[in-house]
């Protein structure tokens, strides 16, 4: 399936080839709707270069900004790259243009952030090349802002706030395809490399539009940067294109979409020459596990997305069943839905009870499943022939139920909320930076040789010396 292409992130497409150098900046381009009438931008070519300037002009126009080819009195914002405020003012003097109090001199970071947001963002000190008050004097003393401070980006997802607002889909989608392909080939090193790269780009508040934008960003190795550069130049990655067309990748992607089928089974089926699910299901020599049988039986339901409304409806059924046996139990939806996602592929629930015994915890899930099986049996008996005539009126959804002791609920809640990469980095951080061991059950301090207690997720973050991140900030 082809990767989605956002016009903000892609101008060129097609096969990689050497392009002729553009002469001049007055390029003819199709008209774009202007959304922000009060802003008139001029992008300075000085220190930027002709090609990058033309590239940024086209991107900005596609996002609804009015960008002029030539300098005039109507310009309200001048955008520059690698220029100080005094350098831009000197350039304006050479052009015989007076810098009025209404003219904003801005670093290109403002334009990049604005394009990523789809609207002009607030101009702050980090964006403004000069701070000035022209009303005070005809020859004001111009105060330059400090050099643009590049905030250090952590290599750990647990030190980055990652919302669902991903400004770099065109790159992260590509990385996830490559990571999945390496996972299918059991190459853990490259799989993790691309997963970490995707994770860090998801946390960025701006869109990467040049290789210069990648400077200082961790987890971007040479192999990753090659993919980024090709996407910037061509709008797509030839490596991703090859993977999506690869028979082995397509087969593994299809086989693992069946509930209960992992890499070993996929490898076995691929080596046996299978390429379609219909051939696998009809083969009499194959034996399937109970999970795989369910996976084939309800395949269309299980591969379709679960909506938040469906997840909440399942939550009502889960709570009703759990409270029939443990009336004081807490039932919390975890996973992607707790992180703010609107759709998912399954629903996870954490169950804990302050008054439960070890025996209660061991017996709860079998009791709940038995209750549902009895209800399902009665429904089938009651419906009789009508169900056969009317067809299936329900949807199969994968539900994960997790029971944990009440005193360990904070660790279980943190572990089951995700995302997967966030949890990996959180544990990696605990091990390498704090000399601690963290899992879904406990936090152990190897230096003090004690288990650290926690009543909430906030306390676990505090033990690790981390700023607390809300669940919706953990979409790494």
């Amino acid at each position: 399936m082809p990767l989605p292409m956002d016009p903000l992130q892609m101008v060129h497409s097609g096969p990689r080839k050497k392009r002729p150098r553009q002469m001049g900046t007055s390029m003819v381009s199709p008209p774009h709707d202007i959304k922000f009438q009060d802003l008139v931008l001029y992008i300075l070519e000085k220190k930027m270069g002709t090609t990058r300037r033309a590239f940024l002009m086209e991107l900005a126009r596609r996002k609804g900004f009015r960008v002029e080819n030539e300098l005039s009195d109507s310009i309200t914002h001048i955008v520059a790259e690698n220029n100080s405020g005094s350098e831009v003012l000197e350039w304006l003097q050479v052009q015989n243009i007076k810098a009025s109090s209404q003219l904003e001199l801005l670093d290109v970071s403002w334009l990049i952030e604005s394009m990523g947001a789809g609207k002009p963002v607030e101009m702050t000190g980090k964006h403004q090349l000069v701070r000035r008050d022209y009303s005070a004097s005809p020859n004001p003393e111009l105060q330059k802002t400090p050099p643009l401070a590049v905030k250090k980006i952590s290599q750990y997802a647990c030190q980055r706030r990652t919302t669902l607002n991903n400004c770099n889909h065109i790159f992260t989608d590509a990385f996830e395809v490559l990571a999945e392909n390496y996972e299918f080939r059991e190459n853990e090193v490259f799989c993790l490399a691309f997963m970490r790269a995707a994770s860090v780009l998801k946390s960025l508040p701006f869109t990467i539009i040049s290789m210069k934008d990648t400077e200082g960003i961790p987890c971007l190795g040479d192999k990753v940067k090659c993919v980024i550069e090709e996407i910037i130049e061509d709008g797509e990655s030839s490596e991703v294109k090859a993977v999506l067309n690869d028979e082995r990748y397509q087969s593994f992607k299809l086989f693992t979409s069946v509930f209960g089928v992992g890499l070993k089974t996929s490898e076995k089926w691929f080596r046996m020459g299978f390429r379609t699910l219909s051939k696998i299901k009809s083969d009499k020599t194959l034996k399937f596990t109970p999970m795989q049988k369910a996976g084939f039986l309800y395949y269309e339901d299980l591969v379709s997305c679960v909506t938040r409304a469906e997840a909440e409806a399942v939550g009502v059924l889960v709570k009703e069943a759990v409270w029939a046996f443990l009336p004081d139990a807490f039932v919390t939806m975890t996973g992607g839905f707790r992180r703010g996602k609107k759709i998912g592929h399954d629903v996870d629930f954490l169950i804990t009870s302050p008054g439960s015994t070890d025996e209660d915890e061991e017996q709860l899930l079998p009791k709940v499943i038995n209750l549902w099986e009895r209800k399902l049996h009665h429904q089938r008996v009651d419906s009789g022939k009508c169900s056969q005539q009317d067809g299936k009126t329900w949807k199969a959804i994968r539900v994960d139920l997790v029971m944990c002791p009440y005193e360990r609920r904070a660790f279980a809640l943190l572990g089951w909320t995700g995302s997967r990469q966030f949890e990996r980095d959180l544990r990696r951080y605990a091990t390498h930076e704090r000399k601690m061991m963290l899992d879904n059950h406990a936090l152990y301090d190897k230096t003090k040789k004690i288990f650290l207690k926690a009543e909430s997720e906030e306390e676990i973050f505090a033990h690790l010396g981390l700023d607390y991140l809300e669940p919706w900030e953990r979409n790494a």
Side-chain angles (χ1 to χ4, degrees), residues 302-306 337 343-347 397-398:
L302 295 176
V303 295
S304 67
C305 290
V306 180
F337 288 110
I343 58 172
H345 290 290
D346 59 11
V347 197
I397 293 175
R398 174 177 168 174

Side-chain angles (χ1 to χ4, degrees), residues 139-154:
N139 295 304
E141 186 68 33
L142 298 176
Q143 180 189 357
K144 283 195 285 185
T145 61
L148 289 177
V150 179
K151 187 177 180 182
K152 185 171 172 57
I153 301 170
S154 174

